[in-house]
Coordinates of all heavy atoms in Angstrom, one line a residue:
M1 N -11.7 14.4 0.6 CA -13.1 14.3 0.1 C -13.4 12.9 -0.4 O -12.6 12.2 -0.9 CB -13.2 15.2 -1.0 CG -14.7 15.5 -1.5 SD -14.7 16.4 -3.0 CE -14.4 18.0 -2.4
S2 N -14.6 12.4 -0.1 CA -14.9 11.0 -0.5 C -16.1 11.1 -1.5 O -17.0 12.1 -1.4 CB -15.2 10.2 0.7 OG -16.2 10.7 1.5
C3 N -16.2 10.0 -2.3 CA -17.2 10.0 -3.3 C -18.6 9.9 -2.7 O -18.8 9.1 -1.6 CB -17.0 8.7 -4.1 SG -18.3 8.3 -5.3
P4 N -19.6 10.6 -3.1 CA -20.9 10.6 -2.4 C -21.7 9.4 -2.7 O -22.7 9.1 -2.1 CB -21.6 11.9 -3.0 CG -20.8 12.3 -4.2 CD -19.4 11.7 -4.0
I5 N -21.3 8.6 -3.7 CA -22.0 7.5 -4.3 C -21.5 6.2 -3.5 O -22.2 5.4 -2.9 CB -21.8 7.2 -5.7 CG1 -22.3 8.4 -6.6 CG2 -22.5 5.8 -6.1 CD1 -23.7 8.6 -6.4
C6 N -20.1 6.0 -3.4 CA -19.7 4.8 -2.7 C -18.6 5.1 -1.5 O -18.2 4.2 -0.9 CB -18.9 3.9 -3.8 SG -17.4 4.7 -4.3
A7 N -18.4 6.4 -1.3 CA -17.6 6.8 -0.1 C -16.2 6.5 -0.2 O -15.4 6.5 0.7 CB -18.2 6.3 1.2
R8 N -15.7 6.1 -1.4 CA -14.2 5.9 -1.6 C -13.6 7.3 -1.8 O -14.2 8.3 -2.0 CB -14.0 5.0 -2.9 CG -14.1 3.6 -2.5 CD -13.7 2.8 -3.7 NE -14.8 1.9 -4.0 CZ -14.9 1.3 -5.2 NH1 -14.0 1.4 -6.1 NH2 -16.0 0.5 -5.4
D9 N -12.2 7.4 -1.8 CA -11.6 8.6 -2.1 C -12.0 9.0 -3.6 O -11.9 8.4 -4.5 CB -10.1 8.4 -2.1 CG -9.6 8.3 -0.6 OD1 -10.5 8.5 0.3 OD2 -8.4 7.8 -0.5
A10 N -12.1 10.3 -3.6 CA -12.5 11.0 -4.9 C -11.3 11.0 -5.8 O -10.2 11.3 -5.4 CB -13.1 12.4 -4.7
D11 N -11.6 10.9 -7.1 CA -10.5 11.2 -8.1 C -10.7 12.7 -8.6 O -11.7 13.1 -9.0 CB -10.7 10.2 -9.3 CG -9.6 10.3 -10.3 OD1 -9.1 11.4 -10.6 OD2 -9.2 9.3 -10.9
P12 N -9.6 13.4 -8.6 CA -9.6 14.7 -9.1 C -10.3 14.9 -10.4 O -10.9 15.9 -10.8 CB -8.1 15.2 -9.1 CG -7.4 14.2 -8.2 CD -8.2 13.0 -8.2
K13 N -10.0 13.9 -11.2 CA -10.6 14.0 -12.6 C -12.1 14.0 -12.6 O -12.7 14.4 -13.5 CB -10.1 12.7 -13.3 CG -9.7 12.9 -14.8 CD -8.9 11.7 -15.3 CE -9.4 11.2 -16.7 NZ -8.9 9.9 -17.0
Y14 N -12.7 13.3 -11.6 CA -14.1 13.1 -11.5 C -14.7 13.8 -10.3 O -15.8 13.4 -9.9 CB -14.5 11.6 -11.6 CG -13.9 11.0 -12.7 CD1 -12.8 10.0 -12.8 CD2 -14.6 11.1 -14.0 CE1 -12.4 9.4 -13.9 CE2 -14.1 10.5 -15.1 CZ -13.0 9.7 -15.0 OH -12.6 9.0 -16.2
T15 N -14.0 14.6 -9.7 CA -14.5 15.2 -8.4 C -16.0 15.7 -8.6 O -16.3 16.2 -9.7 CB -13.6 16.5 -8.2 OG1 -12.3 16.1 -7.9 CG2 -14.1 17.3 -6.9
P16 N -16.8 15.4 -7.6 CA -16.5 14.9 -6.3 C -16.5 13.3 -6.3 O -16.6 12.7 -5.2 CB -17.5 15.5 -5.4 CG -18.7 15.6 -6.3 CD -18.2 15.8 -7.7
F17 N -16.6 12.7 -7.4 CA -16.7 11.3 -7.4 C -15.4 10.5 -7.6 O -14.3 11.1 -7.8 CB -17.6 10.9 -8.6 CG -18.9 11.6 -8.6 CD1 -19.1 12.7 -9.5 CD2 -19.9 11.3 -7.7 CE1 -20.3 13.5 -9.4 CE2 -21.1 12.0 -7.7 CZ -21.3 13.1 -8.6
C18 N -15.5 9.2 -7.4 CA -14.2 8.5 -7.4 C -14.0 8.0 -8.7 O -12.8 7.5 -9.1 CB -14.2 7.3 -6.5 SG -15.4 6.0 -7.0
S19 N -14.9 8.0 -9.6 CA -14.8 7.4 -11.0 C -15.8 7.9 -11.9 O -16.9 8.4 -11.5 CB -14.9 5.9 -10.9 OG -16.1 5.5 -10.5
R20 N -15.6 7.7 -13.2 CA -16.7 7.9 -14.2 C -18.0 7.3 -13.8 O -19.0 7.7 -14.0 CB -16.1 7.6 -15.5 CG -17.2 7.5 -16.6 CD -17.5 8.9 -17.2 NE -18.5 8.8 -18.2 CZ -18.2 8.4 -19.6 NH1 -17.0 8.3 -19.9 NH2 -19.1 8.3 -20.5
R21 N -17.9 6.0 -13.3 CA -19.0 5.3 -13.0 C -19.8 5.9 -12.0 O -21.2 6.1 -12.2 CB -18.6 3.9 -12.5 CG -19.7 3.0 -12.2 CD -19.1 1.5 -12.0 NE -20.2 0.8 -11.1 CZ -20.1 0.7 -9.9 NH1 -19.1 1.0 -9.2 NH2 -21.1 0.0 -9.2
C22 N -19.2 6.3 -10.9 CA -20.1 7.0 -9.9 C -20.7 8.3 -10.4 O -21.8 8.6 -10.0 CB -19.2 7.2 -8.7 SG -19.0 5.6 -7.8
A23 N -19.9 9.0 -11.2 CA -20.4 10.3 -11.7 C -21.7 10.0 -12.5 O -22.6 10.7 -12.5 CB -19.4 10.9 -12.6
D24 N -21.6 8.9 -13.3 CA -22.7 8.5 -14.2 C -23.9 8.0 -13.3 O -25.1 8.3 -13.7 CB -22.4 7.3 -15.1 CG -21.5 7.9 -16.3 OD1 -21.5 9.0 -16.5 OD2 -21.0 7.0 -17.0
V25 N -23.7 7.3 -12.2 CA -24.7 6.9 -11.4 C -25.4 8.2 -10.9 O -26.7 8.2 -10.8 CB -24.1 6.1 -10.2 CG1 -25.2 5.9 -9.1 CG2 -23.6 4.8 -10.6
D26 N -24.6 9.1 -10.4 CA -25.2 10.3 -9.9 C -26.1 11.1 -10.9 O -27.2 11.5 -10.7 CB -24.2 11.3 -9.3 CG -24.8 12.4 -8.6 OD1 -25.3 12.2 -7.4 OD2 -24.8 13.6 -9.1
L27 N -25.6 11.1 -12.0 CA -26.2 11.8 -13.2 C -27.5 11.1 -13.5 O -28.5 11.6 -13.7 CB -25.3 11.8 -14.5 CG -26.0 12.5 -15.7 CD1 -26.2 13.9 -15.5 CD2 -25.0 12.3 -16.8
A28 N -27.4 9.8 -13.5 CA -28.6 9.0 -13.9 C -29.7 9.2 -12.8 O -30.9 9.2 -13.1 CB -28.3 7.4 -13.9
K29 N -29.3 9.3 -11.6 CA -30.3 9.6 -10.6 C -31.0 11.0 -10.8 O -32.3 11.0 -10.7 CB -29.5 9.8 -9.2 CG -29.3 8.5 -8.4 CD -29.1 8.9 -7.1 CE -28.1 7.9 -6.3 NZ -27.6 8.5 -5.1
W30 N -30.2 12.0 -11.1 CA -30.9 13.2 -11.5 C -31.8 13.1 -12.7 O -32.9 13.5 -12.7 CB -29.8 14.3 -11.8 CG -29.2 14.8 -10.6 CD1 -28.0 14.4 -10.0 CD2 -29.7 15.8 -9.7 NE1 -27.7 15.1 -8.9 CE2 -28.7 16.0 -8.7 CE3 -30.8 16.6 -9.8 CZ2 -29.0 17.0 -7.7 CZ3 -30.9 17.5 -8.8 CH2 -30.0 17.7 -7.7
L31 N -31.2 12.4 -13.7 CA -32.1 12.3 -15.0 C -33.3 11.5 -14.6 O -34.3 11.9 -15.1 CB -31.2 11.7 -16.0 CG -30.1 12.4 -16.6 CD1 -29.3 11.6 -17.5 CD2 -30.5 13.8 -17.2
N32 N -33.1 10.4 -13.9 CA -34.4 9.6 -13.7 C -35.4 10.3 -12.9 O -36.5 10.2 -13.0 CB -34.0 8.4 -12.9 CG -33.2 7.4 -13.9 OD1 -33.4 7.3 -15.0 ND2 -32.4 6.5 -13.3
G33 N -34.8 11.2 -11.9 CA -35.8 11.9 -11.1 C -36.5 13.0 -11.8 O -37.7 13.3 -11.6
S34 N -35.8 13.5 -12.8 CA -36.3 14.7 -13.5 C -37.1 14.3 -14.7 O -38.2 15.0 -15.0 CB -35.2 15.7 -14.0 OG -34.4 15.9 -12.9
Y35 N -36.7 13.4 -15.4 CA -37.2 13.1 -16.8 C -37.7 11.6 -17.0 O -38.5 11.5 -17.9 CB -36.2 13.3 -17.8 CG -35.6 14.7 -17.9 CD1 -34.3 14.9 -17.5 CD2 -36.3 15.8 -18.2 CE1 -33.7 16.2 -17.4 CE2 -35.7 17.0 -18.1 CZ -34.5 17.2 -17.8 OH -33.9 18.5 -17.8
A36 N -37.4 10.8 -16.0 CA -37.9 9.4 -16.1 C -37.6 8.8 -17.4 O -38.5 8.2 -18.1 CB -39.4 9.4 -15.7
I37 N -36.4 9.0 -17.9 CA -36.0 8.4 -19.2 C -35.8 6.9 -19.1 O -35.6 6.3 -17.9 CB -34.7 9.0 -19.8 CG1 -33.6 8.9 -18.8 CG2 -35.1 10.5 -20.2 CD1 -32.2 9.3 -19.4
P38 N -35.9 6.1 -20.2 CA -35.6 4.8 -20.2 C -34.3 4.4 -19.6 O -33.4 5.2 -19.5 CB -35.6 4.3 -21.7 CG -36.4 5.3 -22.4 CD -36.1 6.6 -21.6
A39 N -34.1 3.1 -19.1 CA -33.0 2.7 -18.3 C -31.6 2.5 -18.9 O -30.8 1.9 -18.4 CB -33.4 1.5 -17.6
A40 N -31.4 3.0 -20.2 CA -30.2 2.8 -20.9 C -28.9 3.3 -20.1 O -27.8 2.7 -20.2 CB -30.2 3.5 -22.2
V41 N -29.1 4.3 -19.3 CA -28.0 4.8 -18.6 C -27.4 3.9 -17.5 O -26.2 4.0 -17.1 CB -28.5 6.1 -17.8 CG1 -27.3 6.9 -17.4 CG2 -29.3 7.0 -18.8
T42 N -28.1 3.0 -17.0 CA -27.7 2.2 -15.8 C -26.7 1.1 -16.2 O -26.1 0.6 -15.3 CB -29.0 1.5 -15.2 OG1 -29.5 0.8 -16.2 CG2 -29.9 2.6 -14.5
D43 N -26.5 0.9 -17.5 CA -25.6 -0.2 -17.9 C -24.1 0.1 -17.9 O -23.4 -0.2 -18.9 CB -26.1 -0.7 -19.3 CG -25.9 -2.1 -19.4 OD1 -25.2 -2.8 -18.6 OD2 -26.3 -2.7 -20.6
V44 N -23.7 0.8 -16.9 CA -22.3 1.0 -16.9 C -21.7 0.2 -15.7 O -22.0 0.4 -14.5 CB -22.1 2.6 -16.5 CG1 -20.7 2.9 -16.5 CG2 -22.8 3.4 -17.5
D45 N -20.7 -0.5 -16.0 CA -20.1 -1.5 -15.0 C -18.5 -1.3 -14.9 O -18.1 -0.2 -14.9 CB -20.4 -2.9 -15.4 CG -21.9 -3.2 -14.9 OD1 -22.3 -2.8 -14.0 OD2 -22.4 -4.1 -15.6
E46 N -17.9 -2.4 -14.6 CA -16.5 -2.4 -14.3 C -15.6 -1.4 -14.8 O -15.0 -0.6 -14.2 CB -15.9 -3.8 -14.7 CG -16.2 -4.9 -13.7 CD -17.5 -5.5 -14.0 OE1 -17.6 -6.3 -15.1 OE2 -18.5 -5.5 -13.3
D47 N -15.5 -1.3 -16.2 CA -14.4 -0.4 -16.7 C -14.7 1.0 -16.7 O -13.8 1.8 -16.7 CB -14.2 -0.8 -18.2 CG -15.4 -0.7 -19.1 OD1 -16.3 0.0 -18.7 OD2 -15.5 -1.4 -20.1
G48 N -16.0 1.4 -16.3 CA -16.3 2.7 -16.2 C -16.2 3.6 -17.4 O -16.1 4.9 -17.4
E49 N -16.0 3.0 -18.7 CA -15.8 3.7 -19.8 C -17.1 3.6 -20.8 O -17.0 4.3 -21.8 CB -14.5 3.2 -20.6 CG -13.3 3.5 -19.9 CD -12.0 3.0 -20.6 OE1 -12.2 2.3 -21.5 OE2 -11.0 3.2 -20.1
T50 N -18.0 2.9 -20.4 CA -19.2 2.9 -21.2 C -20.0 4.2 -21.1 O -19.8 4.9 -20.0 CB -20.0 1.6 -21.0 OG1 -20.1 1.4 -19.6 CG2 -19.3 0.4 -21.6
G51 N -20.9 4.3 -21.9 CA -21.8 5.5 -21.6 C -22.6 5.7 -22.9 O -23.5 4.8 -23.2
Q52 N -22.2 6.8 -23.6 CA -23.0 7.1 -24.7 C -23.2 6.0 -25.8 O -24.2 5.8 -26.3 CB -22.4 8.3 -25.5 CG -22.8 9.6 -24.8 CD -22.0 9.9 -23.7 OE1 -21.1 9.2 -23.3 NE2 -22.3 10.9 -23.0
D53 N -22.1 5.2 -26.0 CA -22.2 4.2 -27.0 C -23.2 3.1 -26.6 O -23.8 2.4 -27.4 CB -20.9 3.7 -27.3 CG -20.1 3.1 -26.0 OD1 -20.6 3.5 -25.0 OD2 -19.2 2.3 -26.2
E54 N -23.4 2.8 -25.3 CA -24.4 1.9 -24.9 C -25.7 2.3 -25.3 O -26.5 1.5 -25.8 CB -24.3 1.8 -23.3 CG -23.2 1.1 -22.7 CD -23.3 -0.4 -23.0 OE1 -24.4 -0.9 -23.1 OE2 -22.2 -1.0 -23.0
V55 N -26.0 3.6 -25.2 CA -27.3 4.1 -25.7 C -27.5 3.9 -27.2 O -28.5 3.5 -27.7 CB -27.5 5.6 -25.4 CG1 -28.8 6.1 -25.8 CG2 -27.4 5.8 -23.8
A56 N -26.5 4.1 -27.9 CA -26.5 4.1 -29.4 C -26.8 2.7 -29.9 O -27.4 2.5 -30.8 CB -25.2 4.6 -30.0
R57 N -26.3 1.7 -29.1 CA -26.4 0.3 -29.5 C -27.7 -0.2 -29.3 O -28.1 -1.3 -29.9 CB -25.4 -0.6 -28.7 CG -24.3 -1.2 -29.6 CD -23.4 -2.0 -28.8 NE -22.3 -1.1 -28.2 CZ -21.7 -1.5 -27.0 NH1 -22.1 -2.4 -26.4 NH2 -20.7 -0.7 -26.6
Q58 N -28.5 0.4 -28.5 CA -29.8 -0.3 -28.2 C -30.9 0.1 -29.2 O -31.1 1.0 -29.7 CB -30.3 0.2 -26.9 CG -29.5 -0.4 -25.8 CD -30.1 -0.4 -24.4 OE1 -31.1 0.3 -24.3 NE2 -29.6 -1.1 -23.5
Ligands
LIG101 ZN1 -17.6 6.2 -6.0

């Protein structure tokens, strides 16, 4: 199975995605499509460990 976001191999931990980052990207797509919330969700980069705390800091 491959990640629907970047097509790399999926990580069982984040199935069907390869990483937390891709899972967040997908979630953000859904959220943006449904609720059009501010862009705080998009600031997830290299380490893939950011998320909620990014929102809190803004
Ligand atoms: Zn991916």
Side-chain angles (χ1 to χ4, degrees):
M1 190 191 285
S2 58
C3 175
I5 303 299
C6 69
R8 280 184 238 165
D9 288 343
D11 185 323
K13 217 167 136 192
Y14 300 108
T15 298
F17 307 100
C18 69
S19 64
R20 165 85 178 272
R21 179 171 161 260
C22 283
D24 282 350
V25 168
D26 187 71
L27 179 64
K29 276 199 208 164
W30 281 100
L31 292 177
N32 288 334
S34 308
Y35 304 109
I37 57 170
V41 190
T42 55
D43 211 352
V44 182
D45 279 325
E46 279 89 65
D47 59 25
E49 287 178 358
T50 46
Q52 278 80 5
D53 56 342
E54 288 287 330
V55 178
R57 249 181 269 146
Q58 290 199 348

